[in-house]
Amino acid sequence: MSPVAESLRLSPTVSYERQADIAVLWLDNPPVNGLGDTTRAGIHAGLKQALEDDSIVGVVLAGAGKVFCGGADIRQFNTPAATAWPLSANIQQCLETSPKPVVAAIHGVALGGGLELALGCHYRVVAGDARLGLPEVNIGLVPGGGGTQRLPRLVGVERTLDMIQTGAPVTGKVAAAIGLADAAVDTNGPAHDAVEVVALAVEFCRQAAARTGPHPLAAAREVNGSCVDFEARLGAVNRKARNARAQQAAILCVKAATQLPFIDGLAFERERFDALVRGTESKSLRHLFFAEREAPKFAEGAEVALRALDRVAILGAGTMGVGIAMSFANAGMPVMLVEREQAAIDRGMALIRRNYEVTASKGKLTAAQLEERLARITPTLEFDVVAAADLVVEAVFEDLAIKKEIFRRLDKVCRPSAILATNTSRLDVNVIAAATSRPGDVIGLHFFSPANVMKLLEVVRGKATSPDVIATCLAMAQRLQKIPVLVGVCEGFVGNRMLTPYWREAGFLLEEGASPQQVDRALTDFGMAMGPMAMADLAGMDINWATRKRLAPTRPAHLRYSTVADRICELGRFGQKTSAGYYRYEPGSRTPIPDPVIDALIADCARVAGIARREISGQEIVERAMLALINEGARILEEGIARRASDIDVVYVHGYGFPAWRGGPMFYAETLGLEKVLARILALREQHGAHWEPAPLLARLVAGGAGSWSEVPAVQVK
């Protein structure tokens, strides 16, 4: 039975329970007991009731379920509910003026507003395995409920800055050691539940009530910031970090705690919070916060049972195969790495060891952990070992005929329950699946390079892929600490399909007058991790050249086509791998150097195409590149290749270096305004032709007055 089952309900999300002379206020707002409007109202009402009851000597705040409180209800930000009375400040005032002791009983987590609620209490009792932190910077905010003012008064300025800037929580055991908590339940043994922690908190509260004198308040303590160089802290913030503005604001708030009276420091903090919560950057990061949690969800008809995934085989020990093998080994899963030749398997295992040694040199792995992970990977030249695998991931050369032949062999050797996955980045998963007698077991798992680092995983659903295979792979991705996005089958799926018009416009802009470095600079200034020319050089220009040649017979003859990339490849310049592509590279260096040879080649391509070159602005480069992404994204959404617009954003932020603080291309379109986006695409069609035909979905939304992709119902990925 829930500990709140027989309690007095104060609001839909808070209950009041008497334990003799102690009042326990239970936060009961699943799943994380968020501090929404009804929870704040219930806490305030409960405090008032307890303070007015002479038979109550103290109050304990506790969380029902698995956690104390995960923080504010983020979905209510920028809505009337966020400013409904009582505010968090009203609750804090009630806590701080209470003559009766108030104790926070923390199990599971106390994060963000949840920790700020606890900081306003007189005492904090924690489970040793609980996690306490202020992670607001991760969504582009500073703590807005006094966290930057109270925390340094308890744990010191330096530790406060470390906690708030990184958003990393501390354990209950650490919290007790640094002065953040007053008592902790024994950390040995299993995780502690709410009832156990509340029992300690109730007794602690009763003892505190028996003592004379005022109860301690963080707000009443002095804070000394003389040992901290705030300017150095500000200067050390990475200006390209997704939450740079929030980090800088947090530093200033903590600095204010060392210089201003407490009440003025609270006002300073709130001003910074209010400015950030209204800003595009935080709205974008909050959009991604929910998008990343929504993407892995799979609900299609009846709930399906997941298949067992205990042993994995990877076919191919090249760069992708190695990274995929490391991803599974890092998750504690045994992996068989299969190759045809000893030299290839030796190179692959040497690369794996080298990668792990680099990680260990940074202090992120011990020598023992390195050897443990290596031991999970078994190299072999025997193809038939795949018979023991629950999942086989093919990661060989991007050639359809080769992949079909491999899947024919897998069909004969693998156990009936095995999942057969291809890591193809563009090829038709349905054609590959058709090479087997069990297409329902075939799926695409498009890892991104380097696969042991990149978090994105496109889970590609074939037309026959079984629901249990999809659900199993989505769950598996989370086990690997990846962010999976379910996508449908088309040329390039979501990410690479959208990359095609993006690169198309980059090529056109080169012919029309821009230089490679100008295009790259404009887009990195916009926030992209890399420009398109530098990205092409890094990925290897020969890969996309092969794709263009494969698709050439189906290319509409009436549409403009840039020959720049093809001409570069014809010179044997494939990017960094050949020390020359759009740029040239010194031996052993990845630094791109502008090359007059390419400038002359581009000018010649423009001359042959009859294009008069002109001055190109950075604004035009950004506009054409972004609108190309957005327009193709709208087509993808309409075709059911992606389930939601937010899934497309997750793909582009985590797979292609789109700035998280802009929310992804589809959310960025909303910040521009869909009506404006359509108007600019129509103008580009007038100027540049049929490549700029607007996506029908975009035109329909604007015609209907819609301002958001969310007005398009989520669809089943085809």
Side-chain angles (χ1 to χ4, degrees):
M1 179 178 290
S2 165
V4 300
E6 298 180 358
S7 304
L8 171 66
R9 187 63 75 168
L10 297 170
S11 79
T13 52
V14 177
S15 294
Y16 185 104
E17 179 194 24
R18 288 188 65 124
Q19 291 196 17
D21 53 353
I22 302 296
V24 181
L25 306 185
W26 289 97
L27 283 58
D28 191 14
N29 187 17
V32 296
N33 295 328
L35 288 175
D37 53 342
T38 63
T39 305
R40 297 196 307 271
I43 294 171
H44 195 273
L47 289 170
K48 184 175 184 293
Q49 181 170 326
L51 294 177
E52 292 175 351
D53 187 342
D54 291 340
S55 65
I56 295 295
V57 301
V59 181
V60 169
L61 299 183
K66 296 181 179 180
V67 304
F68 170 70
C69 179
D73 188 338
I74 301 171
R75 293 187 188 277
Q76 291 188 352
F77 286 0
N78 304 112
T79 72
T83 54
W85 190 93
L87 301 174
S88 293
N90 303 124
I91 295 172
Q92 301 285 12
Q93 183 180 24
C94 192
L95 291 170
E96 291 181 342
T97 57
S98 169
K100 300 177 182 180
V102 184
V103 181
I106 298 170
H107 77 293
V109 301
L111 299 175
L115 180 56
E116 289 179 302
L117 175 65
L119 289 172
C121 296
H122 301 113
Y123 308 97
R124 287 149 294 281
V125 171
V126 299
D129 53 8
R131 292 179 296 123
L132 295 79
L134 295 172
E136 285 87 348
V137 292
N138 294 331
I139 53 172
L141 297 172
V142 295
T148 64
Q149 306 303 298
R150 291 186 176 89
L151 188 60
R153 288 172 159 84
L154 290 175
V155 305
V157 173
E158 194 78 38
R159 189 179 289 275
T160 294
L161 287 170
D162 290 343
M163 287 180 65
I164 295 179
Q165 277 189 262
T166 65
V170 298
T171 65
K173 182 179 181 180
V174 171
I178 64 176
L180 178 53
D182 300 281
V185 177
D186 181 15
T187 58
N188 297 321
H192 304 286
D193 63 17
V195 174
E196 187 178 4
V197 179
V198 168
L200 177 61
V202 165
E203 185 55 34
F204 187 99
C205 187
R206 192 170 285 129
Q207 293 175 8
R211 294 195 292 267
T212 58
H215 300 291
L217 287 174
R221 299 189 182 192
E222 295 294 325
V223 59
N224 184 354
S226 61
C227 61
V228 175
D229 186 339
F230 287 101
E231 292 307 312
R233 278 277 185 169
L234 287 167
V237 174
N238 180 355
R239 295 301 192 271
K240 289 191 173 182
R242 60 193 283 166
N243 58 6
R245 285 191 64 200
Q247 284 197 61
Q248 292 163 348
I251 294 168
L252 293 175
C253 288
V254 176
K255 182 180 180 181
T258 70
Q259 297 178 336
L260 300 177
F262 180 75
I263 191 68
D264 295 335
L266 285 180
F268 184 92
E269 175 195 84
R270 193 67 200 186
E271 288 173 3
R272 298 304 179 277
F273 175 88
D274 288 343
L276 289 168
V277 83
R278 290 192 299 266
T280 301
E281 290 92 340
S282 177
K283 290 178 181 177
S284 298
L285 291 173
R286 280 179 272 148
H287 163 75
L288 281 174
F289 176 87
F290 290 113
E292 289 162 4
R293 284 150 184 78
E294 195 67 26
K297 294 179 181 178
F298 179 70
E300 195 168 287
E303 189 171 336
V304 296
L306 301 184
R307 297 194 187 187
L309 275 190
D310 298 318
R311 193 165 180 82
V312 178
I314 312 296
L315 303 184
T319 301
M320 284 305 305
V322 158
I324 296 169
M326 291 178 67
S327 295
F328 283 100
N330 294 345
M333 299 177 68
V335 184
M336 297 172 286
L337 186 60
V338 184
E339 258 292 357
R340 295 183 303 169
E341 299 175 356
Q342 189 64 45
I345 204 75
D346 289 344
R347 283 194 301 270
M349 292 304 296
L351 179 56
I352 290 171
R353 176 173 283 280
R354 190 157 61 247
N355 287 342
Y356 279 138
E357 286 173 347
V358 169
T359 303
S361 70
K362 297 176 181 177
K364 296 180 180 179
L365 273 183
T366 66
Q369 289 170 329
L370 185 155
E371 295 301 331
E372 282 175 12
R373 296 188 186 193
L374 277 171
R376 293 184 190 125
I377 303 173
T378 303
T380 180
L381 301 178
E382 299 297 323
F383 184 89
D384 286 356
V385 298
V386 299
D390 301 307
L391 168 67
V392 181
V393 183
E394 166 273 308
V396 305
F397 188 70
E398 195 80 335
D399 182 282
L400 186 59
I402 293 173
K403 291 181 186 290
K404 287 169 64 177
E405 178 55 32
I406 285 174
F407 274 77
R408 288 188 192 99
R409 294 181 66 189
L410 291 175
D411 189 29
K412 295 175 182 177
V413 176
C414 290
R415 62 178 62 171
S417 61
I419 296 174
L420 312 181
T422 173
N423 182 55
T424 181
S425 60
R426 281 187 173 270
L427 300 177
D428 193 327
V429 173
N430 292 325
V431 173
I432 295 170
T436 75
S437 63
R438 41 171 144 173
D441 295 333
V442 178
I443 196 167
L445 293 178
H446 178 207
F447 289 83
F448 284 69
S449 185
N452 54 303
V453 175
M454 297 290 282
K455 286 192 171 295
L456 179 68
L457 177 62
E458 282 186 319
V459 178
V460 188
R461 175 184 199 158
K463 63 183 180 182
T465 307
S466 299
D468 65 328
V469 170
I470 297 169
T472 300
C473 289
L474 290 170
M476 172 273 295
Q478 293 174 283
R479 184 175 172 184
L480 301 187
Q481 297 187 339
K482 305 290 185 187
I483 301 174
V485 178
L486 184 62
V487 302
V489 174
C490 66
E491 176 66 35
F493 315 133
V494 169
N496 283 339
R497 173 171 162 178
M498 289 172 65
L499 203 57
T500 297
Y502 178 74
W503 267 331
R504 177 199 77 209
E505 288 305 306
F508 289 172
L509 286 158
L510 293 179
E511 290 179 328
E512 292 167 29
S515 65
Q517 56 269 33
Q518 184 189 1
V519 172
D520 282 349
R521 188 186 314 115
L523 287 161
T524 53
D525 287 349
F526 172 79
M528 298 295 291
M530 297 183 74
M533 296 14 277
M535 182 197 299
D537 277 1
L538 176 64
M541 294 184 66
D542 53 326
I543 298 172
N544 286 317
W545 190 31
T547 298
R548 291 193 299 275
K549 288 188 286 187
R550 173 171 59 83
L551 297 176
T554 62
R555 186 184 305 129
H558 70 287
L559 291 178
R560 177 183 170 188
Y561 178 77
S562 171
T563 60
V564 171
D566 293 349
R567 290 273 302 274
I568 292 173
C569 289
E570 287 166 3
L571 296 176
R573 298 172 64 123
F574 299 145
Q576 291 185 16
K577 66 175 72 176
T578 59
S579 298
Y582 283 102
Y583 302 97
R584 67 179 182 86
Y585 300 85
E586 295 293 342
S589 172
R590 293 181 178 272
T591 302
I593 302 171
D595 193 338
V597 171
I598 296 303
D599 295 336
L601 183 150
I602 292 169
D604 189 58
C605 288
R607 180 189 60 77
V608 171
I611 297 170
R613 305 190 82 212
R614 58 185 173 85
E615 289 290 323
I616 304 287
S617 70
Q619 179 181 354
E620 180 180 355
I621 292 168
V622 169
E623 179 180 67
R624 285 171 61 176
M626 292 303 109
L627 292 181
L629 286 177
I630 293 164
N631 202 37
E632 195 66 23
R635 295 183 188 279
I636 284 170
L637 187 59
E638 183 166 37
E639 293 171 19
I641 302 301
R643 181 169 168 77
R644 319 166 186 85
S646 61
D647 286 357
I648 297 172
D649 289 333
V650 171
V651 167
Y652 252 77
V653 167
H654 289 285
Y656 296 87
F658 196 95
W661 53 272
R662 293 191 188 272
M666 307 307 281
F667 187 80
Y668 177 63
E670 292 184 3
T671 67
L672 294 175
L674 298 188
E675 185 175 2
K676 179 182 177 182
V677 167
L678 177 60
R680 290 304 304 147
I681 288 174
L682 290 171
L684 288 167
R685 184 181 65 180
E686 286 295 311
Q687 186 177 0
H688 296 288
H691 276 304
W692 284 104
E693 189 64 34
L697 174 61
L698 175 61
R700 284 201 310 276
L701 286 174
V702 172
S708 171
W709 306 106
S710 63
E711 299 190 32
V712 181
V715 298
Q716 178 177 309
V717 169
K718 298 177 181 178

